[in-house]
Amino acid sequence: MGKISIDIRNATLIKEDITVGIDLGTTNSLIAIVEGEKRLPVCLRDGGKAIVPSILHFADDGSILVGDAAREKLVSDPRNTIYSIKRLLGRSYSELSAHSGYYGYRIVEDESGASVRVEAKGRHYTPVELSALILAELKQKAEQALGKTVSKAVITVPAYFDDQQRQATRDAGKLAGLEVLRIVNEPTAASLAYGLGLSPDEVRTIAVYDLGGGTFDLSVLRLEKGVFEVLATRGDTYLGGDDIDRSIAQFWLETVPGAELLRNDSHAIQDLRLSAERAKKHFTGSTETWRHTLASGQAVFVLELSAEQLADICKPLIDKTLQITRAALKDANTKPDEVVLVGGSTRMPLVKEAVRSLFPEIPVRDNLDPDEVVALGASVEADILAGNRRDILLLDVTPLSLGIETMGGLMDVMIPRNSRIPCSAARQYTTSVDGQTRLQISVYQGERELCSENRLLGRFELQQIPAMPAGLPKVEVRFTLDADGILRVKAMELRSGVAQEIAMEQRGGLDDATVEKMLLESLQHARSDMDTRMLLEAQQEGKQLIYTAERFVVKNRGLLNEDEIARTSMLCNELEASIASGSKDEILHAVDRLNDYTRPFAERLMDQAVAIALKGKTIE
Ligand code: ADP
Ligand code: MG
């Protein structure tokens, strides 16, 4: 009991499900489980190493290396060695282009502009696919170490990740064959690893200082009755241990005689960086000057770094983290009761001292391995979600997702299943028809994409919305789930303040078996549900476009000639026919054709509006 058993035969995986915690890091990724009667979290080790560098290498023969093996290719094949994938997740090209110089590989824009792609060996990969490769490697390693299948996971993300980035992380998990029970904030996981937040009557404020390889995050958490609330989060997505390495390498280039010649030699620079990292790590546990001879071609260089020199080099960087920390505490408008140190770079005594001097009166927790804390905490959360910690009553979760019906009968999830309660979520909707004065809100519970396959909890109508053009009303729908599982749904038109609210019980007679059955069905139908969803979305988009195009023609007849009106009407009819009987792709093609044809009309309208405005007339 208590030890990780390794199934030497390894041929058949024992069919026993284990829920793991995964820290999908920018630099390093780890996987952890909770084991034994004491429910202690441990990181899974592979030959003594728990860490998998978040690096991929794509080789000529189509093979893909993950982790340490890929890291070695950073020097020899930088164009096909992909690192820092986490920075790309859920991001658009325009959001990243400012830092494109940072990446040694090619980042390209995809057709929609919504996401980026990474080019390696002539193929394009999405960040979700790349992250999935890392997750799949972790999953496989865990299965080998445990001799059991691993299919459920909790994955951590930085507290500042937005919905899109969280969704991208979830998708990556799914693609890697994992059921992602929950996406958890990294600072929350770190607190859980220290056992903070596990007792019911605890009320505390915690500052989590996370200095990793490439990023710095400071989060202030309010912990009350098992609920973690992020009061403030600040950081710098381009500040971390790598910058220290770069600064040390820079220092050598400037001070070691003859070293400036290495500047244009990318191999030598990479070597210098790796030496810099080794020198930096040497000072964890020693204050003696570090020495190393580096051979490059014919030349030999003696690299030296003293503790004082390192302190000088690190000072501006550490000061910056302290500045960010002060700003975050100001945002949170509170004083923390304790500080938790996270991330490999907090091993540095210089960093520990700096943080201690900023918080002289409160405990600074650093006794767990800072590389591992996030994964350990994720596994604690995983264990709770798997139902192994019946003692923690307050960490109650919703058994099934809660959402409302949107266009075409689709389920729009507001509170995902396994969300800890109490909780609350809000989203804005609008009308699809001009002058619409009512909006029906139907609340469902379940995991299927179609509301008709889920369970109707209740429905009401928001009335007396002032008549406005389609798309203008802002209707906020807010779900509030209290500790007893009572769901309150409130809809409010924000421009007018018209509001309506109902309460319903979310469990409502659902026994465990029913919940399980609903979950199982959602898994079995995941693929066809996805297809149905995409078809319905295409149909909806088509209908909306026909509505807009027809309205445009009616309102702006003067701008168009007979031919144009006839052709628009023909394209509308074609689109209508494909909505009635076509596939998703056929509909989207018809949408494109109509869009392409009518786009110049809108420009004409704009030109005319500008011309009228220039004449000093007002536009209706
Ligand atoms: P991430 O969260 O970005 O994946 P990690 O938390 O794994 O990153 O931190 C990686 C960083 O920690 C690297 O820059 C590495 O050089 C640094 N690091 C690891 N061990 C030490 C050490 N003993 N001293 C200083 N820095 C260290
Ligand atoms: Mg990290």
Side-chain angles (χ1 to χ4, degrees), residues 23 25-26 28 86 186 210 212 215 342-343 374:
D23 171 6
T26 312
N28 295 308
K86 190 172 175 178
E186 286 161 14
D210 181 348
T215 58
V342 184
V374 170

Side-chain angles (χ1 to χ4, degrees), residues 37 74 111 128 170 240 278-279 288 295 298 300 400 446 462 491 498 511 532 550 600:
E37 252 157 45
L74 274 176
E111 314 82 56
V128 168
R170 229 172 227 290
R278 247 177 280 136
E288 266 172 46
Q298 307 289 8
V300 171
L400 291 166
L462 179 63
V498 180
D511 53 58
T532 314
E550 286 178 342

Side-chain angles (χ1 to χ4, degrees), residues 328-360:
L329 289 172
K330 208 163 155 211
D331 287 350
N333 197 16
T334 180
K335 283 205 169 72
D337 301 309
E338 52 196 293
V339 184
V340 170
L341 294 186
V342 184
S345 300
T346 62
R347 283 235 175 74
M348 299 182 76
L350 287 167
V351 172
K352 286 189 206 243
E353 280 157 27
V355 177
R356 283 215 180 85
S357 64
L358 188 64
F359 300 101

Side-chain angles (χ1 to χ4, degrees), residues 87-100 113-116 162 164-165 238:
R87 296 180 200 271
L88 312 177
L89 263 187
R91 287 312 188 86
S92 69
Y93 188 77
S94 60
E95 286 171 300
L96 291 164
S97 51
H99 290 280
S100 61
S115 157
V116 294
D162 63 19
Q164 255 179 9
Q165 293 168 300
Y238 290 87

Side-chain angles (χ1 to χ4, degrees), residues 27 38 118 127 180 184 188 209 240 287 300 323 557 565 570 587:
T27 320
K38 290 201 173 143
V118 169
V180 182
V184 179
T188 300
Y209 177 104
T287 50
V300 171
Q323 244 173 37
R557 272 193 177 270
I565 294 174
M570 190 201 81
I587 299 171

Side-chain angles (χ1 to χ4, degrees), residues 451-466:
C451 282
S452 56
E453 314 273 353
N454 288 330
R455 190 164 166 274
L456 179 68
L457 290 179
R459 116 177 337 152
F460 66 102
E461 205 173 59
L462 179 63
Q463 298 172 346
Q464 292 170 338
I465 302 173

